[in-house]
Amino acid sequence: MRSNALAFAILLAASLPAPAIEQEETFTGIAPDEGQLDPALLAELVRKGDIRAINNVGLLWAQGYQGRQSYQEALRWWREAADRGYTVSMNNIGLLYAHGHGVEQDMQQAFEWWHQSAFLGNAWAMNSVGDCYENGDGVQQDLVMAMTWYRSAAEHGDRMAMFNIGAMIEHGKGVPQDYADALSWYRKSAQAGDASAMRAIARFHHEGLGVSVDLVEAYAWHGVAELRFPPEEATEAEANRRELQALAVQLSPEQIERGKTRIEELETLTRPPEPEPGKPPGAGEVRT
């Protein structure tokens, strides 16, 4: 199903340390000039033993900074943070093993790191553990365990896990097939900002799965999905755009206008919440 690709989680280095078992707010794609990855700031915080700063030094090595990049160095810093119980770094180490960056690719090692992180409360890792159980990656396939971990991640607010639950129910994987229930999970994921879930909802309305066929509603969900796909999901975004264009040909001008009005409503419904002052802007996932 869907799981984290090579996108590492970071936290605001200047934030106060939090207990290791607390579910962290994480995000990706932060530019170094925004301050969170300022090497000078990180160096000072590392000297003070700030565990988030230790994780972020590993991120600098993984992403590369001023022409220097090393997954081996990233692993060294993340192990230091992981040894102190930092679940974000455990999750990142799992990503290294899953993709074979700086280490030999080893899904069993990836699973073990994700399982450790998930057991301590990290929702990203919970979803990845569920993905491993669903596909038999690094562990024996077990659809019941996959759904159990997806549900745990969803309870922690992980929108990708909500999508995965919907997909398993839609296809009857380990559970009875139920289009209406699948659609309800896709809606939960979409309301949390997941573009792939929005595209799935559009498909359900287009094909009449669990709902009556409604091409205007399908058009609207494709339209809002187009606004929500991040740059790293360009392939799926392009597929969604083609589906949107094909659907538009079937609609009358009046239906197109109604669809555009509905897109505005859905844009508000699926808009990511504003971050609290002093906190990062929320969870961010990149899928394979």
Side-chain angles (χ1 to χ4, degrees), residues 218-245:
Y219 175 89
W221 279 104
H222 277 305
V224 74
E226 185 172 32
L227 302 176
R228 293 286 183 256
F229 276 111
E232 60 269 16
E233 297 175 14
T235 300
E236 187 176 0
E238 179 57 32
N240 180 77
R241 187 174 301 111
R242 289 195 301 269
E243 293 160 356
L244 176 63
Q245 293 170 346

Side-chain angles (χ1 to χ4, degrees), residues 25 27 37 57 59 64 69 83 91 120 127 129 142 147 168 179 182-183 194 196 198 207 240:
E25 291 279 353
F27 59 101
L37 297 180
V57 171
L59 182 76
Q69 191 276 340
D83 287 345
N91 182 71
L120 292 174
N127 180 70
V129 169
D142 187 327
M147 181 63 85
M168 289 190 73
Y179 289 133
L183 179 59
D194 190 88
S196 291
M198 297 172 201
E207 300 177 11
N240 180 77

